Amino acid sequence: MPFTADVAASQIQEHLKSIYNLLHDIESQRIRSEHNLNNIMKTHDKVTPDDKVSPYYQQKLKNLYNAAMTDAQQEEEILRKALSKINEIRTIRNERRIQARNAGNKETIRRGALMKMVQSTAQTLPLYVGKTPGAKPPPLCGAIPAEPTYIAKMGDMVAALVKGNEEGENWILAEVVQFNPATNKYEVDDIDEEQKPRHTLSRRRVVPLPLMRANPETDPHALFPKNSTVMALYPQTTCFYKAIVKQLPTTATEEYKILFEDAAYTTGYSPPLNVAQRYVISIKESKKNKSQC
Amino acid sequence: MSGKGKQSSKKAVVKVRESGKTAQSSLVNNDTNSETSEPTTSQAIFKTVDNSRHLPRYTNILKRSAEEGVGMEDLDTLQLELEMLLSAVVVRHRTLQDEIASLSSAEERRDRRSKSGKSVPLLKKMREEKFKPKEVNAKSQPPLYTKLYTQRAVRSSASQVASNIHEIGRIEGSKSDAPKLLLPKNDTPNKFWASVDPYCTDIMPEDIKLLEELIATHSDISDFKKIPPLGRHYSLMWAHNDLLQEEDAANPNREKRKNRTDMSHLISKGDKKTNGIAGPLTQRLVSALLEEKVYVGNNNTENKLFRDGDSPVLRDLTIQNSMNLELRMHKELVEQGILEPDAQKKNQEDDEILAEIKRCQQELSALSSHNVVQLKRLFNLAQEESKRQALKRKISNADNEVVEHYKKLTKAKQNKESLTRKEQEKAWACLRERESLLEQLNATK
């Protein structure tokens, strides 16, 4: 969708206003939920001295729990709405950035700023929160891989297996420029502008990165299990290396603890390093095994 | 890419994130704690602090005016905070669902227990009611006594039904309480009164009729005093059975018809002999004579003596009557001096079976007379008691009338009215009647 600067700006402003209103709705709903939770605690205090829960208090607690559950559902809806608004604003900004680049406005970004941007986009990836314990996370959420027929879109971040000058092949952090259905190949740009900018790769050499983070509290099954072998982005670099998951995140904003394969250490692995969920993907075994750096 | 450079840049980042973790985890714990029971005061204070500390951008935006609104620079931080809230809300939602499910299952368990509690005493009483008839049968009492017990059992079962209904009402009323604890306490007195009830009820006319029937039945014992006549002698019976067995053994498969004809012939012979021999004296004489002749036959010619010996005995048996034969032999023996005139008495005494039968009959007649005496006494007592109970009913009616008159009198006093003479006379009449009834009751004691 072509966006003009004015149209994009007005849409963003409109979204910002709606977010403001939604925040106030969230606050009033939270106050109501807090009121019900206080009632539940009072009832619990009355019940605690007795050994048995009488049918009267059972029925009362049941009613209070139902009311609190209704409040939680309403609060959940408003929060999801607000988060979707934020996500729409990000989408608009991303579209604007792509249009600017296509117009030929290439900006030279310093490495420090690049690394900062890499971290920021990882942290603000949308969070998936399943509504029920049995909800199944969609593809590209956390550790869930993409479907075989999936085609990454323009602007998506991927891990791409490219050839270097002197060294062997490396998995690098790249951005999709376009996909050619005729030749079944991607054109991707290396995030690091210092090196050769564009690569044409077959689909087998491109691994889409997750589009959503998994919530460890509600959907731990969407994370890579402990001691599993993965490909992870080495901190402060744009290259993916073979590694083992040392520890899973416990909250939505936490990161994996990763042990990278490193011959420099006696154990063969580096000490634990933090890597965001976005930059941990399942490993693809290449025939040459020249992924060492 | 140098390893050293990597390591140096890591340390600062790690420190920052560790502090972030502690803050986030405490926030999550706070939200999680909201589901568990905690003191209200500290919870409220804790929440207020958490909002300002852990949701700084969220709190800040709420304080702003509508004009200021949300800025682009706020989005990154706001997203993280809203995601934390969303995660906490979903966790709370799931926890509440689990709590409701556990409460529902607990209610179902309690319902089952209460139902099982109800059924237990009913089953017990059913068993008790079934057990009583067995006891009656086990005692093997006469059917008339069984009637009496069955009547009382029916009545007690009726009273049990009433008590059961009462108990069911109690159980239903006390559903909210623990039914198991109350049932044993309530059950024992109900059992006691149910068992005692047959002994405490008033005497009914049916009971008196039953006693009359028992007395009539026990008085009539003429049938039991008859002595049955003597049957066939055991020796003849045994001989007959032996002959049948021999024939069956000799010809098991052949000539069944001939065997039947032979059997009938032998039976007819046996019957003739039995009809001929009647008295014990004749039997003894005949057996003695047969023995002597057999002994003589061995010494002399066998054929002639045997035939000559048999013919007169057979003639006498067939021609003469059994009674006359017995009498003639007795007379001849007395004339010859072999027997004395008192021999008949001794013969009677020798029959042990007859003596035993007579002894038993005497005992039974004594027992029966005793039973009749007791039944008559019981009958008299029952009649007297029924009269006294009738008097008691009259007295209770008289008491009710007196109470009614007393109420009228009190009402008249309250209203400051005077009763009419008729009413006064009625009241005095009731009192006199009551006194006379009481005197009658005392007289019957």
Side-chain angles (χ1 to χ4, degrees):
Chain A
M1 293 182 286
F3 283 108
T4 61
D6 294 340
V7 172
S10 66
Q11 284 186 0
I12 287 169
Q13 286 301 318
E14 190 174 346
H15 285 319
L16 289 173
K17 285 180 184 176
S18 63
I19 287 168
Y20 179 80
N21 294 326
L22 286 169
L23 288 187
H24 282 280
D25 293 343
I26 288 164
E27 183 63 13
S28 63
Q29 187 64 42
R30 288 185 76 248
I31 290 166
R32 193 181 309 165
S33 295
E34 188 172 353
H35 178 69
N36 280 326
L37 292 175
N38 287 338
N39 284 338
I40 288 171
M41 284 186 282
K42 286 175 185 174
T43 309
H44 271 293
D45 291 340
K46 291 178 183 176
V47 169
T48 306
D50 303 333
D51 290 335
K52 289 187 176 180
V53 181
S54 63
Y56 168 73
Y57 278 115
Q58 275 191 9
Q59 192 62 35
K60 191 175 180 182
L61 280 174
K62 209 173 179 181
N63 293 333
L64 289 171
Y65 287 155
N66 279 310
M69 204 161 69
T70 306
D71 292 337
Q73 284 169 353
Q74 292 173 8
E75 191 174 334
E76 184 182 332
E77 282 182 12
I78 305 173
L79 283 165
R80 287 184 189 276
K81 197 179 292 184
L83 286 167
S84 70
K85 291 288 180 183
I86 292 172
N87 202 33
E88 287 174 16
I89 291 171
R90 290 192 193 293
T91 305
I92 293 168
R93 294 180 69 188
N94 204 39
E95 294 282 342
R96 292 288 305 146
R97 185 175 60 79
I98 292 167
Q99 287 180 11
R101 190 185 62 190
N102 290 344
N105 299 337
K106 292 189 175 180
E107 300 174 1
T108 304
I109 308 172
R110 289 180 295 102
R111 185 172 186 83
L114 178 68
M115 293 298 108
K116 190 173 180 182
M117 186 194 72
V118 165
Q119 289 299 323
S120 174
T121 55
Q123 288 174 357
T124 57
L125 200 64
L127 181 72
Y128 172 79
V129 179
K131 291 196 171 184
T132 58
K136 188 178 178 181
L140 295 178
C141 168
I144 312 294
E147 293 175 356
T149 57
Y150 177 79
I151 303 297
K153 303 177 183 60
M154 180 165 48
D156 281 356
M157 302 296 273
V158 297
L161 182 61
V162 300
K163 293 181 179 179
N165 292 325
E166 300 173 359
E167 303 165 352
E169 294 176 328
N170 286 328
W171 287 94
I172 65 166
L173 184 61
E175 182 179 353
V176 173
V177 175
Q178 68 175 5
F179 176 77
N180 190 343
T183 59
N184 221 30
K185 293 198 173 187
Y186 283 100
E187 285 188 18
V188 301
D189 278 351
D190 190 346
I191 291 291
D192 200 345
E193 298 286 347
E194 295 176 8
Q195 301 182 12
K196 186 178 178 181
R198 187 156 295 188
H199 304 272
T200 304
L201 304 168
S202 68
R203 287 182 59 192
R204 288 183 289 99
R205 290 169 166 268
V206 173
V207 176
L209 297 187
L211 297 176
M212 281 181 283
R213 289 148 45 215
N215 186 12
E217 292 164 336
T218 58
D219 304 283
H221 49 277
L223 296 167
F224 288 103
K226 191 176 177 182
N227 295 330
S228 61
T229 304
V230 295
M231 294 282 289
L233 192 79
Y234 200 94
Q236 299 301 318
T237 72
T238 60
C239 293
F240 288 83
Y241 297 102
K242 193 173 179 182
I244 287 175
V245 174
K246 169 69 176 176
Q247 187 174 317
L248 308 190
T250 56
T251 63
T253 53
E254 265 188 46
E255 299 178 342
Y256 285 101
K257 280 191 187 300
I258 301 290
L259 304 179
F260 286 95
E261 286 191 357
D262 197 333
Y265 297 93
T266 56
T267 59
Y269 291 98
S270 69
L273 296 169
N274 290 337
V275 180
Q277 281 194 44
R278 188 176 204 197
Y279 301 125
V280 179
I281 57 176
S282 61
I283 190 165
K284 272 199 173 185
E285 294 290 346
S286 62
K287 294 179 180 179
K288 296 182 180 179
N289 280 331
K290 289 186 177 179
S291 61
Q292 296 179 1
C293 180
Chain B
M1 301 177 186
S2 63
K4 292 182 180 179
K6 294 177 185 177
Q7 290 180 7
S8 63
S9 64
K10 290 309 139 197
K11 292 180 180 178
V13 175
V14 169
K15 287 180 182 178
V16 170
R17 284 175 184 168
E18 283 179 357
S19 64
K21 286 180 188 176
T22 55
Q24 292 159 13
S25 62
S26 66
L27 174 63
V28 171
N29 288 337
N30 165 43
D31 283 307
T32 308
N33 288 337
S34 64
E35 273 82 27
T36 60
S37 63
E38 274 195 350
T40 306
T41 308
S42 65
Q43 179 67 37
I45 294 170
F46 195 47
K47 262 200 170 182
T48 307
V49 171
D50 283 342
N51 282 359
S52 60
R53 183 184 293 174
H54 299 292
L55 306 172
R57 195 58 58 95
Y58 174 79
T59 309
N60 192 6
I61 289 167
L62 289 174
K63 292 174 183 175
R64 296 177 191 173
S65 61
E67 292 177 359
E68 294 172 357
V70 179
M72 291 297 292
E73 65 281 3
D74 297 321
L75 288 187
D76 290 358
T77 311
L78 186 64
Q79 177 181 342
L80 296 181
E81 291 176 5
L82 291 179
E83 282 171 352
M84 275 194 277
L85 286 176
L86 180 61
S87 175
V89 166
V90 171
V91 168
R92 190 202 317 161
H93 182 84
R94 293 182 181 183
T95 307
L96 289 169
Q97 277 185 338
D98 293 341
E99 287 285 331
I100 289 168
S102 66
L103 279 178
S104 299
S105 63
E107 283 184 4
E108 288 176 3
R109 288 174 203 158
R110 286 187 64 264
D111 291 339
R112 288 173 190 172
R113 284 177 189 172
S114 64
K115 287 179 182 178
S116 65
K118 281 183 187 177
S119 62
V120 167
L122 293 175
L123 289 175
K124 285 182 181 177
K125 298 200 170 178
M126 291 294 290
R127 289 175 189 172
E128 289 173 5
E129 290 178 3
K130 289 180 181 178
F131 190 65
K132 284 184 178 179
K134 290 182 180 179
E135 280 183 345
V136 173
N137 293 331
K139 290 177 182 176
S140 71
Q141 294 180 1
L144 295 172
Y145 287 108
T146 309
K147 282 187 182 179
L148 182 62
Y149 280 104
T150 51
Q151 280 190 1
R152 291 190 176 180
V154 168
R155 199 178 305 152
S156 63
S157 67
S159 65
Q160 282 180 0
V161 169
S163 66
N164 288 341
I165 291 164
H166 179 63
E167 196 166 3
I168 289 164
R170 284 190 184 180
I171 292 166
E172 288 177 355
S174 66
K175 265 188 179 181
S176 60
D177 297 336
K180 285 187 176 180
L181 297 177
L182 292 178
L183 284 175
K185 295 178 182 177
N186 291 336
D187 201 20
T188 304
N190 288 323
K191 282 183 180 178
F192 173 74
W193 290 115
S195 65
V196 170
D197 182 65
Y199 302 97
C200 299
T201 56
D202 293 343
I203 293 171
M204 305 296 290
E206 293 87 0
D207 296 330
I208 295 170
K209 285 182 182 178
L210 185 63
L211 288 171
E212 289 176 355
E213 289 177 1
L214 286 170
I215 291 166
T217 306
H218 279 69
S219 297
D220 186 7
I221 57 172
S222 60
D223 291 337
F224 301 108
K225 288 201 172 182
K226 291 180 180 178
I227 299 170
L230 287 171
R232 296 170 68 184
H233 198 263
Y234 67 90
S235 61
L236 294 176
M237 292 288 291
W238 292 357
H240 183 66
N241 291 332
D242 289 342
L243 286 172
L244 291 174
Q245 288 179 3
E246 287 177 0
E247 287 181 357
D248 290 336
N251 297 319
N253 297 326
R254 301 174 186 177
E255 299 178 356
K256 290 184 179 178
R257 294 177 183 176
K258 289 184 180 179
N259 290 333
R260 289 178 184 175
T261 55
D262 292 338
M263 289 168 66
S264 64
H265 183 65
L266 288 171
I267 289 163
S268 63
K269 284 186 179 179
D271 289 339
K272 287 181 180 179
K273 290 181 180 178
T274 304
N275 291 331
I277 299 165
L281 191 61
T282 307
Q283 293 178 13
R284 289 168 67 188
L285 188 61
V286 168
S287 64
L289 290 171
L290 287 171
E291 288 178 359
E292 289 177 0
K293 289 197 173 185
V294 167
Y295 179 76
V296 172
N298 289 333
N299 293 332
N300 294 325
T301 306
E302 295 180 352
N303 293 329
K304 291 183 179 180
L305 290 173
F306 184 71
R307 290 178 181 177
D308 291 339
D310 287 342
S311 61
V313 173
L314 290 172
R315 289 175 186 175
D316 293 338
L317 291 172
T318 54
I319 293 166
Q320 298 297 327
N321 190 4
S322 62
M323 294 297 291
N324 293 332
L325 181 59
E326 188 73 15
L327 291 172
R328 283 173 55 203
M329 291 183 74
H330 183 69
K331 287 180 181 178
E332 289 178 3
L333 290 170
V334 169
E335 287 174 358
Q336 291 178 9
I338 295 170
L339 294 174
E340 293 179 0
D342 296 334
Q344 286 186 351
K345 294 183 180 178
K346 289 181 181 179
N347 288 332
Q348 288 182 355
E349 290 176 356
D350 289 337
D351 195 343
E352 294 179 357
I353 293 170
L354 183 62
E356 184 67 18
I357 288 169
K358 287 181 179 179
R359 188 179 68 78
C360 290
Q361 284 181 351
Q362 287 176 4
E363 290 183 1
L364 285 172
S365 61
L367 185 64
S368 179
S369 63
H370 176 75
N371 287 343
V372 168
V373 168
Q374 294 298 323
L375 285 170
K376 285 180 178 177
R377 187 178 70 84
L378 193 62
F379 177 72
N380 292 327
L381 289 173
Q383 284 183 339
E384 288 177 1
E385 184 64 23
S386 65
K387 288 178 182 178
R388 293 181 76 258
Q389 284 171 2
L391 282 174
K392 284 181 180 177
R393 289 192 208 101
K394 289 182 181 178
I395 288 164
S396 65
N397 290 331
D399 288 345
N400 291 332
E401 289 178 1
V402 169
V403 168
E404 287 177 4
H405 284 290
Y406 176 73
K407 287 179 180 177
K408 288 180 181 179
L409 184 62
T410 53
K411 283 183 181 179
K413 285 184 178 179
Q414 289 177 358
N415 295 330
K416 295 183 180 178
E417 295 175 357
S418 62
L419 292 172
T420 60
R421 285 189 178 181
K422 287 184 178 179
E423 290 178 350
Q424 287 182 6
E425 288 176 0
K426 284 183 182 178
W428 282 112
C430 289
L431 284 172
R432 290 194 211 99
E433 184 183 358
R434 182 171 177 277
E435 286 180 359
S436 66
L437 289 170
L438 286 172
E439 287 175 0
Q440 290 180 22
L441 188 66
N442 290 328
T444 56
K445 282 184 178 178

